[in-house]
Amino acid sequence: IKIYRLQTTGFGKQRFALRLFDALTFDLMLVLKLLFFPPQDIVVSFTSPPLIGFLGGCFCHLKGGRAVQWLMDINPAAAFAVGYLKRTSLVGRALNWAFKASLRSSSHIVVLDKWMKKVAVEYGGSQDKISVIHPWSLFEPSEGPVDPSESCFRKNNDLMNKTLIMYSGNHSVVHPLATLLQAAKQMRADSSIVFVFVGGGLRSLEVKAFKEKENLSNIVQLPLVPREQLTDSLTSVDAHIVVMGDAVNGLVHTSKVYGAIATGKPIIYIGPKKSHVMDLLINCKQTHQSEHGDVESVVDAISQIKVLSKETKERVATENKMFYRNQFSAEKCFAVFSEEV
């Protein structure tokens, strides 16, 4: 394996304009690299940063090889949906044209769910060139039950003997957290329940502001944990929160749901019922779906989870982990990818 790195700006994700500038400098440096790069048999392009799929397609057109688009989300459509870009703007129209061109020129297209496939076809992707292949989690399920009292994550963050409700991962603009935050506010009187937000992103500022405004001691914010500590972090909780905005259904794929299933823990999903998340969770035990704005439903789900018996938790863990292993292990998903692509 050879890795070629590019020198680019690194302003981060706090402001969209700077994030876009980072992407443009990356694309520019990539163009310079590809001009002198030898032909390849297969070029696999992801979705981010913008234009990378278009550049991969151009490279194959000029130098040969098969261009494969592996779409982790549908952009710029997702950017239009959340208001990052105007569809009619010069940048919006240019990115839209480039995305459609990359789909038409691809030898193969990989999407993550049936909803994304539908959108990809609408954008010009050919039905017979599209494969639906699920991603896989960095987290692999443990064989036996996990004892929360042995969790270093709980001990290090003074969370022993608490019912932990965790949102872990990117606090993206496509994942509205208002309903969950209102549930935390409504349950503030129960000191045994703690809402843990692990990670960063634009909405982490929203969580911080809400916590300070409402003076909520039941909200704990923590940075992303190192990969080697991920298993302990994810298995230490009593329930995982998965969120997806209504406007981005079919445009993004909330992949944190795979890690949540692999833990064997109950899952509370806040988002549209007709979505890839519910397509997965319908096969799992002890899952709850709530629409955005339905705070009472989230509060009720958390209250039910809090009183689950040890036997019920172990049965749920066993069945959900088995479902994950049978369907979404890295070995299985990558084998499908290798065969179809």
Side-chain angles (χ1 to χ4, degrees):
I1 297 174
K2 293 183 179 180
I3 299 175
Y4 299 86
R5 301 191 183 278
L6 304 176
Q7 295 295 322
T8 69
T9 57
F11 292 111
K13 299 182 178 181
Q14 294 304 315
R15 293 179 59 186
F16 176 70
L18 294 178
R19 186 178 181 180
L20 184 60
F21 188 79
D22 285 345
L24 291 176
T25 60
F26 179 89
D27 286 335
L28 177 60
M29 296 304 294
L30 180 60
V31 168
L32 295 176
K33 171 65 73 172
L34 294 180
L35 285 175
F36 304 98
F37 211 68
Q40 303 293 307
D41 296 313
I42 300 176
V43 175
V44 180
S45 302
F46 291 101
T47 318
S48 181
L51 295 179
I52 194 168
F54 177 74
L55 296 179
C58 290
F59 177 85
C60 291
H61 178 73
L62 294 173
K63 298 193 176 185
R66 296 175 56 235
V68 176
Q69 303 292 329
W70 195 356
L71 303 182
M72 298 295 159
D73 49 43
I74 305 291
N75 261 321
F80 298 151
V82 298
Y84 266 173
L85 280 174
K86 290 185 178 180
R87 190 181 297 271
T88 55
S89 69
L90 181 62
V91 173
R93 286 181 295 180
L95 291 177
N96 220 24
W97 175 86
F99 178 63
K100 290 180 178 179
S102 68
L103 293 184
R104 290 193 299 267
S105 63
S106 297
S107 301
H108 204 85
I109 302 166
V110 177
V111 296
L112 309 185
D113 58 64
K114 68 179 184 182
W115 308 90
M116 289 180 69
K117 179 177 180 178
K118 180 176 182 294
V119 177
V121 171
E122 292 172 355
Y123 269 81
S126 175
Q127 284 266 14
D128 58 0
K129 292 196 300 185
I130 301 178
S131 296
V132 176
I133 304 175
H134 295 279
W136 50 90
S137 173
L138 293 174
F139 173 81
E140 287 296 328
S142 59
E143 292 298 330
V146 177
D147 186 355
S149 66
E150 299 297 322
S151 168
C152 292
F153 178 83
R154 281 181 176 257
K155 293 175 182 176
N156 294 341
N157 294 292
D158 195 24
L159 295 171
M160 299 300 292
N161 303 315
K162 300 288 187 179
T163 298
L164 299 189
I165 310 300
M166 177 181 281
Y167 178 89
S168 178
N170 186 21
H171 296 42
S172 169
V173 68
V174 303
H175 306 309
L177 299 174
T179 304
L180 180 60
L181 292 174
Q182 289 295 333
K185 177 183 176 181
Q186 189 163 320
M187 305 187 81
R188 66 193 306 169
D190 190 341
S191 60
S192 68
I193 299 177
V194 177
F195 294 77
V196 183
F197 292 82
V198 179
L202 287 173
R203 290 198 185 274
S204 63
L205 301 177
E206 177 184 323
V207 175
K208 181 181 179 181
F210 187 87
K211 175 184 177 179
E212 293 176 351
K213 178 184 176 182
E214 302 295 340
N215 192 26
L216 297 178
S217 60
N218 64 342
I219 289 181
V220 174
Q221 285 186 276
L222 298 169
L224 280 173
V225 299
R227 184 175 294 187
E228 61 270 16
Q229 299 174 20
L230 186 63
T231 296
D232 180 43
S233 165
L234 294 179
T235 57
S236 69
V237 305
D238 294 278
H240 283 283
I241 301 292
V242 176
V243 179
M244 186 175 72
D246 293 332
V248 294
N249 189 25
L251 305 179
V252 303
H253 190 91
T254 308
S255 57
K256 66 165 56 46
V257 67
Y258 298 96
I261 294 172
T263 65
K265 302 291 183 175
I267 298 171
I268 299 172
Y269 165 55
I270 304 174
K273 193 169 186 178
K274 291 184 177 181
S275 65
H276 78 274
V277 179
M278 281 308 297
D279 289 346
L280 300 176
L281 295 186
I282 197 171
N283 299 291
C284 299
K285 305 297 181 183
Q286 206 59 48
T287 61
H288 305 262
Q289 183 265 338
S290 300
E291 298 293 332
H292 288 284
D294 192 354
V295 179
E296 291 297 333
S297 174
V298 176
V299 170
D300 183 58
I302 293 172
S303 300
Q304 292 179 40
I305 290 169
K306 179 184 175 181
V307 298
L308 288 177
S309 66
K310 181 180 178 181
E311 292 73 23
T312 299
K313 291 179 181 178
E314 290 181 354
R315 184 174 69 254
V316 169
T318 299
E319 296 190 24
N320 286 358
K321 289 177 184 180
M322 184 179 299
F323 171 66
Y324 177 87
R325 289 192 189 96
N326 290 339
Q327 300 293 328
F328 307 116
S329 68
E331 292 79 7
K332 288 182 178 293
C333 293
F334 192 70
V336 174
F337 184 89
S338 299
E339 180 180 341
E340 297 201 13
V341 176

